[in-house]
Each structure stands twice: as structure tokens, then as C-alpha cells.
Amino acid sequence: MLLIEKMKRKEDFTALERQISDYILEHRDEMFEMSLAQLAGKLYVSKATVIRYFKKLGFSSYRELCVELAREQNYYEASVNESGKILADGSESIQELAARIQKASARALAVTAQYLDYRTVQEMAGMLSRSTRIILCGFSAGGANTADNLRNKLAKFGKDVTVLDYSSASLVRYSSYDRNTAVLFAVYRDPDGRAARIAKEFYDKGLPVLVLAGPYKSDIDRYAYRVLRTHYTDDSDSSTAAKRVAVEFLGDVLYYAVMNTASTGLSRVA
């Protein structure tokens, strides 16, 4: 059963747990920005109460719950309209819905691969390969998944890898970083500028900011050393799922380029 569905059903929940569920569901878009202490304060409960709640749902940490909530929210946001976006209102059969997702995802992969800037991939891979510490920031469609996947893979190279989310972003200003640190953002779109504001904090500290992004330019570009884009847009057959696939594909290509750089000392561009 999906997390959001569990929280809506509230089976075997105490009155306090139902209250926590209702608040999180109502403010799910804010959860990545909210720390555990802030959530407890909003609910007028102790942090221990919130910890027991997310453990009851099967999560080992508050961040893990927030990441899963964001992932599921991406699917829920794939709502119906006339522009060809994925239908999720029950008017399509499961088979039709699956076919539409498959079509949109296949197109996202094809477009992203066709217009991929391999020189930028090479430059970003070289920088990540030379860095001893890497900070990953994943937001919007596919961003959180991409950051988590890259953390697990890059750690194999002995890198000190940290994933930063909205709830801990305020710590950037008060933290120190050495010159061997690189920062990588994965964000398809940044309409409210939140990712850009975090990127500026790193930029002001003199750190190189690398970005995996969608086709739309935004304020984060001003602080980026390099931007690797997918040119997949939502003009037709679009979905949040397909955008996620496109951003994750960029992350996979970049990872294998880093692996190639580590083994050969130079990424080959055809």
C-alpha cells in the first residue's frame, strides 16, 4: 500500500497519529522544507511522538518519509488535462494509463539522449571525479530520486557524499566547505526559486555548482558552473513520471562518465 493511501486510511492509528497524518497530507508540499523539530512544533507534540509515527509507517528517519512522500506526490500530480498529460482520474483503464506512461517515458528518454551535451557531461564528470566531497541536492520531478541514487553509487568511489534537502538547506550558510567540494543539483524545474536560493549560498562560498535540469532556464543558472539539460518538454504526452525519467537518465549518464573518468583518467567523447 502506498504511503499516502496508508495516511488517508489511518487504519490502527491513534487519535494523535490521525492528527499527524491529516497535517502532513494537508501540508505535503512543505514537508521537504520543514525539519522534524518544526513539524513537532506545528503539531504541538514532542519530537519523540513524530519519530514513533514515522517508524510505525516503516521508515527509519524523518527524511526517508519526506523523500517517499515527494516521490508519491510526483505521481499524484500527473493529473488530467487536454494537453495529453497522464490521466489519473479513473477515466482510463489501468492498461491505457500504463501505455500512456510508457509512451511519455520512452519519448523523454529519446529526446534527452538525442540532444545530450556530451562535452558538458565530460566536464562535470571530471569535476566530480576530482572532488573528495560531493553535496547532492535533489528537488522537483526526479530530483530526489536522482540524488539518492547518485549518493549510493558515488560512495563506491570513496567519496564523501551528502544529500541535502530543503529541511537542512538553512545550514549551508553556517557551514564550512573546503575547495575539494563540488555541489550537484538535480531539479527539472525551479518555478519558485528555492533551489536557486540554496545554490547561491554555495556559489557565495566559492564552490562549483553543477546542475541537472529541464529545458527551462531559471535563476539557478546564474550560480551554475555547468548545466546539463534534458530538452524533453511537457508540450504533449507529458507527465511527471516522464520528467522524472529524463532527470534520472541524466544522473545515470553522469555517473557512468564519472566511473569512466576514474578508471581511465579521461572521459572519451565520441
Side-chain angles (χ1 to χ4, degrees):
M1 186 185 299
L2 294 175
L3 170 60
I4 292 176
E5 188 177 350
K6 285 182 181 178
M7 294 171 70
K8 286 182 176 179
R9 289 191 178 187
K10 305 182 183 70
E11 293 179 355
D12 300 321
F13 278 17
T14 65
L16 191 54
E17 288 166 346
R18 288 195 290 272
Q19 176 189 342
I20 296 173
S21 291
D22 289 339
Y23 183 88
I24 292 176
L25 288 171
E26 187 176 342
H27 299 85
R28 67 183 77 171
D29 292 336
E30 305 169 20
M31 296 309 297
F32 248 75
E33 297 181 72
M34 200 179 299
S35 68
L36 174 61
Q38 288 172 327
L39 176 60
K42 297 279 187 182
L43 292 163
Y44 300 101
V45 299
S46 67
K47 289 194 292 185
T49 299
V50 180
I51 290 172
R52 286 194 296 271
Y53 171 79
F54 65 64
K55 286 188 174 180
K56 183 173 183 175
L57 289 171
F59 297 97
S60 59
S61 69
Y62 173 65
R63 171 180 158 69
E64 187 180 329
L65 181 146
C66 289
V67 168
E68 182 59 29
L69 191 65
R71 287 173 178 166
E72 291 188 12
Q73 181 67 8
N74 285 338
Y75 284 105
Y76 277 86
E77 286 173 354
S79 55
V80 187
N81 65 31
E82 292 77 22
S83 68
K85 292 187 178 180
I86 291 176
L87 295 172
D89 65 346
S91 62
E92 284 187 315
S93 69
I94 293 176
Q95 290 88 345
E96 290 171 328
L97 182 59
R100 190 180 288 269
I101 292 173
Q102 188 277 332
K103 181 180 179 181
S105 298
R107 180 172 175 268
L109 285 173
V111 171
T112 303
Q114 181 179 358
Y115 297 103
L116 193 62
D117 185 342
Y118 291 99
R119 184 64 61 182
T120 298
V121 173
Q122 180 187 33
E123 293 174 349
M124 292 173 68
M127 181 162 288
L128 292 175
S129 182
R130 293 189 297 271
S131 301
T132 56
R133 184 180 183 189
I134 300 171
I135 299 172
L136 303 173
C137 307
F139 309 118
S140 79
N145 286 2
T146 301
D148 283 337
N149 291 338
L150 283 173
R151 172 182 56 187
N152 297 331
K153 292 176 178 177
L154 291 173
K156 296 177 182 178
F157 291 100
K159 305 290 187 183
D160 178 6
V161 185
T162 302
V163 174
L164 184 75
D165 59 34
Y166 282 137
S167 65
S168 52
S170 60
L171 300 177
V172 175
R173 182 175 302 178
Y174 308 104
S175 301
S176 60
Y177 305 94
D178 61 41
R179 294 297 177 177
N180 293 317
T181 301
V183 185
L184 177 65
F185 280 78
V187 50
Y188 182 86
R189 236 176 150 168
D190 186 32
D192 57 7
R194 287 184 291 181
R197 289 192 290 274
I198 299 171
K200 183 180 184 300
E201 297 287 352
F202 288 115
Y203 176 85
D204 289 344
K205 289 179 177 293
L207 299 181
V209 175
L210 310 175
V211 182
L212 304 178
Y216 312 101
K217 289 190 176 182
S218 66
D219 287 346
I220 197 171
D221 292 26
R222 297 165 55 191
Y223 311 111
Y225 176 74
R226 289 290 183 271
V227 180
L228 182 64
R229 297 188 185 281
T230 170
H231 290 275
Y232 173 73
T233 65
D234 57 359
D235 295 330
S236 64
D237 285 325
S238 175
S239 70
T240 302
K243 295 172 187 174
R244 181 171 55 253
V245 166
V247 174
E248 290 177 356
F249 176 74
L250 293 179
D252 286 340
V253 171
L254 182 58
Y255 163 70
Y256 285 109
V258 172
M259 187 170 64
N260 186 45
T261 301
S263 61
T264 65
L266 178 66
S267 292
R268 181 172 63 85
V269 178

